[in-house]
Amino acid sequence: MSKKLLRFLAAGMLLILVLSCVGCGGGGQQEPAGGEGEAEGEGEEVALKSEYKLTMNVSTDTCWGQGGVKFAELVNEYTGGKVNVKVYPNAQLVGGDQMRQAEMVQSGAIDFMLNSTINIAPTIPEFDVFSLPFMFPSYEAVDAVVNSEAGEKLLDVLGNYNMVGLGYGENGFRELTNNVRPIKSPDDMKGLKIRVVTPIYIDIMRALGANPIAMNWGEVFTSLQQGVIDGQENPVVGIIIPNKIYEVQKYMTNWHYSYDALVLAVNKDVWESFPAELQEQIQRAADDAMAYQIQISREGLAEGNDFLRDKGMEVTDLTPEQLAPFKELTKPVYDEYAEKVGLDIVKAFEEVVAGMQ
Ligand code: X2X
């Protein structure tokens, strides 16, 4: 036999082998999960991945983390085991680089994210609208906005970045902790090294006279412990308590200066790969999981401060009069970032908030 004929026969054998193996469940990312992973979409079979990755910046001990876990559980339940979402906490899929999660979902390297708007804003500037200083006077105002057309429209912006928004969750109002002194006026913040995440917070802290230091969340506890930073800001029930920040911080000021929403989103190509029935089931899982997540983030709010006092923290609640100079000093930052967000979005948010007062 000639070499040419031999090669031809070998290639033919290989082809037969490959064809006979289609559907036999060998490796590969797009492969259906066993026999269960095939969804019927109007007669055609849809190849599902054996695992869809969901990224979060925090541990599963937090209310935020519990929301991610609940979503994964409900997706499994509502899709009858067809869609398997696996939660990757502590920003492990991005090596701790919390601001990269949105771009990874945009590119499709990660399928889902349950992410703070703070971490999304470096990729999508519109999401800084939630962080504008003193935008939200109350939880009622927050609820009104996220359930409004303005809140919906902001989720739609994800579409320009190859993502689909499935709903809002909550990290909460961010309160200030430090190890140096109680903060009652902007003067008390002079020179304090406060850990923050993004540029808007750097500018807020500078406007108040503090010395902001940008740092990923994964490094915060140790940095507080070692005195590399004096303070940080995060929600009480959502983050400060479950992460035992009280073990390394003496003072806390409740100032509600910035509200941190969570967004549950999915890569658009992944979303469009699901037939309508699965989309409906996954959306229902998102609605139920986010309602649960917001509920647990608010439970224990009242006891949270007492808990921290019991743990030895000195907790300061600011009166409206005490808050006034903080608002005044950060107003230029509000105005500057309102331009970056887009004035139409900011105005739409402000109008909903004003309607609550
Ligand atoms: O990094 C933070 O402070 C955290 C956990 O709240 C966010 O991911 C924005």
Side-chain angles (χ1 to χ4, degrees):
M1 247 185 287
S2 74
K3 275 189 186 164
K4 213 171 167 186
L5 184 62
L6 266 175
R7 254 188 268 130
F8 178 76
L9 285 175
M13 295 278 285
L14 195 67
L15 188 68
I16 291 166
L17 264 175
V18 168
L19 286 177
S20 67
C21 201
V22 168
C24 70
Q29 274 250 312
Q30 294 290 333
E31 158 238 332
E36 302 274 13
E38 288 173 9
E40 302 280 320
E42 288 171 12
E44 82 210 58
E45 282 185 352
V46 181
L48 298 174
K49 297 196 225 182
S50 56
E51 173 188 300
Y52 291 87
K53 293 180 166 56
L54 180 146
T55 182
M56 304 189 302
N57 190 31
V58 293
S59 81
T60 50
D61 296 334
T62 58
C63 304
W64 170 350
Q66 288 295 304
V69 169
K70 178 63 99 187
F71 174 65
E73 280 168 12
L74 292 181
V75 167
N76 192 279
E77 184 185 328
Y78 295 170
T79 65
K82 283 179 183 155
V83 177
N84 168 32
V85 174
K86 181 157 183 219
V87 170
Y88 288 85
N90 302 317
Q92 55 183 270
L93 293 178
V94 286
D97 193 351
Q98 64 193 78
M99 288 184 276
R100 289 200 53 221
Q101 295 169 95
E103 69 183 59
M104 298 280 271
V105 177
Q106 180 182 5
S107 75
I110 300 175
D111 305 298
F112 290 87
M113 65 179 178
L114 179 54
N115 204 359
S116 157
T117 50
I118 296 175
N119 300 327
I120 299 173
T123 306
I124 313 178
E126 285 88 338
F127 279 85
D128 254 344
V129 64
F130 276 99
S131 297
L132 293 175
F134 301 103
M135 160 66 91
F136 297 97
S138 63
Y139 281 102
E140 289 75 23
V142 165
D143 291 343
V145 166
V146 298
N147 295 313
S148 71
E149 204 187 319
E152 272 300 314
K153 275 194 174 158
L154 185 65
L155 284 186
D156 290 345
V157 177
L158 288 159
N160 304 336
Y161 295 80
N162 199 37
M163 288 182 263
V164 175
L166 300 176
Y168 287 106
E170 168 168 291
N171 195 15
F173 279 106
R174 300 178 73 90
E175 317 299 1
L176 183 63
T177 68
N178 86 94
N179 249 341
V180 179
R181 55 185 163 254
I183 308 286
K184 294 181 178 151
S185 78
D187 273 352
D188 298 326
M189 294 185 67
K190 288 254 145 46
L192 292 191
K193 285 179 276 175
I194 307 290
R195 175 269 176 174
V196 291
V197 188
T198 48
I200 185 171
Y201 290 97
I202 291 178
D203 291 342
I204 292 171
M205 292 300 164
R206 286 206 179 119
L208 294 171
N211 178 10
I213 297 182
M215 183 184 286
N216 282 322
W217 173 241
E219 294 159 43
V220 172
F221 191 91
T222 318
S223 301
L224 288 170
Q225 204 168 29
Q226 295 173 348
V228 176
I229 45 177
D230 300 314
Q232 64 86 47
E233 42 76 65
N234 253 303
V236 173
V237 176
I239 297 284
I240 291 175
I241 293 177
N243 288 284
K244 299 193 167 63
I245 295 294
Y246 50 83
E247 286 182 355
V248 287
Q249 293 278 266
K250 175 86 183 115
Y251 305 102
M252 185 173 80
T253 295
N254 284 315
W255 60 342
H256 274 38
Y257 85 124
S258 180
Y259 176 78
D260 189 2
L262 301 179
V263 169
L264 178 59
V266 55
N267 172 275
K268 204 193 244 174
D269 304 316
V270 168
W271 183 247
E272 287 170 357
S273 75
F274 295 132
E277 195 189 359
L278 283 185
Q279 285 185 352
E280 184 270 320
Q281 290 159 344
I282 295 168
Q283 181 62 63
R284 193 152 53 87
D287 295 345
D288 292 355
M290 291 304 96
Y292 165 80
Q293 193 278 326
I294 291 172
Q295 184 201 323
I296 57 171
S297 102
R298 292 188 191 178
E299 270 169 16
L301 268 181
E303 300 85 50
N305 289 323
D306 291 340
F307 176 87
L308 292 177
R309 285 192 178 98
D310 284 351
K311 292 286 176 191
M313 284 189 95
E314 190 179 319
V315 179
T316 305
D317 293 310
L318 297 183
T319 62
E321 293 71 35
Q322 286 174 314
L323 274 174
F326 288 96
K327 291 187 184 172
E328 203 180 303
L329 285 170
T330 55
K331 181 75 173 61
V333 182
Y334 186 107
D335 293 340
E336 184 191 334
Y337 280 84
E339 299 266 358
K340 293 183 181 172
V341 163
L343 292 178
D344 48 340
I345 293 176
V346 176
K347 202 157 158 273
F349 270 48
E350 285 173 347
E351 275 171 12
V352 179
V353 171
M356 296 298 303
Q357 285 160 346

